[in-house]
Structure formats: C-alpha cells, structure tokens
Amino acid sequence: MRIVRRECTNVWRIPEERYAQNQWVELNGAFQEMDDENTEGYSVRMLGAEQLTYNEFLEKYGASENPPEGKDAIETVLDVEYEFRNVGNSDGYLPLIHT
C-alpha cells in the first residue's frame, strides 16, 4: 500500500476580523449561505450578547417549553441582539430565519 500526502496550496481562507460591540461592519459582498445574496450596502452591528440556560431563555421570552425538534438536550442558549441596515440596495437579501 502506498500513502501519499499532498499539500494543497489553493486553500481558500477566510480572514478573521474582530470588531467592537456597537461598531457597524459593512458586509460588502460577504454572504451567509449563497453568493447571490448581494450584500453591497448592508451593514451589521452587535448590540449585546448574553449566555442563558435553556430555562432562563424560556422565562425571558415566554417561549414554549418544548425544545425544537432534534434539540432534546439544550443546555445553553446564546442570546445575541444585532441590528442590520441597508443603504441603497433593493436587490440584496439576508437569509436570517430558518424553519
């Protein structure tokens, strides 16, 4: 048996960037799922975040006591508040809600 190790030199890397809370960050073509989202003109900023137990989350939002299907053992919820803005783009979109 022969084992060959190849180094891939064409690996696409996404650079890590860090921003301060409440700082607007321009998306400028960055996309979440599909490259046709057309995010030119879109910006996002994180207003705050809080780590909650599942029961704390239910109490805070008055949500159902039944976890989402397939999520039987939820221990921690990261509650993130963020805001988006769009300046001059009527063709773009952001797929934020999944059912």
Side-chain angles (χ1 to χ4, degrees):
M1 173 171 38
R2 181 177 166 196
I3 299 174
V4 177
R5 180 177 173 198
R6 296 185 108 167
E7 295 293 328
C8 183
T9 57
N10 294 331
V11 175
W12 190 54
R13 296 182 189 259
I14 299 172
E16 180 178 315
E17 298 177 9
R18 295 177 184 249
Y19 299 92
Q21 185 172 327
N22 293 312
Q23 179 181 356
W24 283 105
V25 179
E26 295 180 0
L27 298 183
N28 291 332
F31 56 91
Q32 180 176 327
E33 293 181 12
M34 306 295 292
D35 62 357
D36 69 347
E37 291 171 16
N38 183 18
T39 60
E40 295 296 329
Y42 281 82
S43 300
V44 62
R45 70 177 171 175
M46 186 179 77
L47 302 174
E50 180 180 16
Q51 184 176 339
L52 304 168
T53 67
Y54 185 65
N55 288 335
E56 289 170 336
F57 175 80
L58 292 177
E59 185 176 313
K60 181 175 180 177
Y61 292 103
S64 165
E65 292 187 22
N66 299 322
E69 189 174 321
K71 308 290 185 193
D72 296 331
I74 296 175
E75 293 180 16
T76 302
V77 176
L78 183 59
D79 184 15
V80 179
E81 182 180 4
Y82 52 88
E83 183 175 42
F84 287 93
R85 71 178 174 194
N86 174 8
V87 177
N89 182 343
S90 60
D91 299 321
Y93 68 96
L94 295 170
L96 298 176
I97 300 175
H98 295 277
T99 56

